[in-house]
Amino acid sequence: MNWFNWIGMILVALLLLPNILYAIRRKNEENNQKKIILQILEQIGRYGVMLFMIFNIPYTYLGFYFAHAQMIYILINLTLMLGYYLSWIFFWKKNCLIKSMLLSVIPSILFLFSGIMIVSIPLIIFATIFAIFHIWISIKK
C-alpha cells in the first residue's frame, strides 16, 4: 500500500454524501453550545480519521498484513457502508435513539476496522477519539 489510499478516499466520500444532504436539509437548526468541548474533540477525531483514511504516513502504518487482507478490507467496509446507507434511508425522517446509534456506531466501526486492517497507528488513535465522542454526542441529543 502506498502513501495514498484511494479506497479510503472513496469510503470517506461515500460517508460524507448523506451527511452533506442532511446538513443542507437542516441548515437552520440551532447548534447546542453546551457540548462545545465534546464537539471539538469529535471534530479532532473526525478530521483525523478522514486524513488518515486517505493518506498513509510512512513509518506509522504497516499496510495489509495477511493474504487477501485487501479484499476483506473492501468487502467488510462495503458491507458497513451498505448498512450506513440503509440506516439513512430507513430513518431519514425519524429522530430516535436507534437512528443516532446506527449513524454513529457504523462509521466508528468502519474507521476502527480500517485502521486495524492496515495497522495504521494514527488512524486507530483518531478513530478511537472519534468513536468515543461521536457516539457520546449522538446518545446525548
Side-chain angles (χ1 to χ4, degrees):
M1 176 176 276
N2 296 328
W3 65 272
F4 184 78
N5 182 354
W6 63 272
I7 300 167
M9 183 185 71
I10 292 168
L11 291 169
V12 168
L14 288 173
L15 278 172
L16 287 174
L17 279 174
N19 287 288
I20 291 168
L21 292 173
Y22 183 78
I24 291 169
R25 182 175 165 243
R26 302 187 77 175
K27 64 183 173 189
N28 294 328
E29 285 191 12
E30 194 174 306
N31 193 3
N32 187 351
Q33 296 300 320
K34 294 178 185 176
K35 303 176 188 174
I36 194 73
I37 300 296
L38 297 177
Q39 291 172 346
I40 290 170
L41 291 169
E42 178 197 22
Q43 293 304 321
I44 289 169
R46 180 185 316 274
Y47 291 114
V49 293
M50 287 193 289
L51 176 72
F52 292 111
M53 280 288 290
I54 299 170
F55 299 106
N56 298 311
I57 309 302
Y59 308 110
T60 64
Y61 79 101
L62 296 177
F64 298 113
Y65 53 94
F66 62 89
H68 307 294
Q70 185 174 15
M71 186 58 65
I72 293 169
Y73 171 80
I74 292 169
L75 289 174
I76 298 293
N77 279 330
L78 285 177
T79 303
L80 289 167
M81 194 65 66
L82 178 63
Y84 187 70
Y85 271 80
L86 289 173
S87 298
W88 267 112
I89 291 166
F90 185 74
F91 292 108
W92 183 254
K93 293 188 179 190
K94 297 177 181 160
N95 193 12
C96 59
L97 183 60
I98 294 171
K99 174 185 178 180
S100 296
M101 288 301 296
L102 286 172
L103 296 178
S104 60
V105 170
I106 292 172
S108 298
I109 292 170
L110 186 141
F111 294 134
L112 280 168
F113 174 75
S114 296
I116 292 167
M117 286 301 291
I118 63 171
V119 193
S120 171
I121 303 306
L123 181 53
I124 293 169
I125 290 168
F126 282 103
T128 303
I129 292 167
F130 174 75
I132 291 167
F133 293 103
H134 189 58
I135 294 167
W136 190 352
I137 288 169
S138 296
I139 290 172
K140 297 294 181 183
K141 279 188 178 177

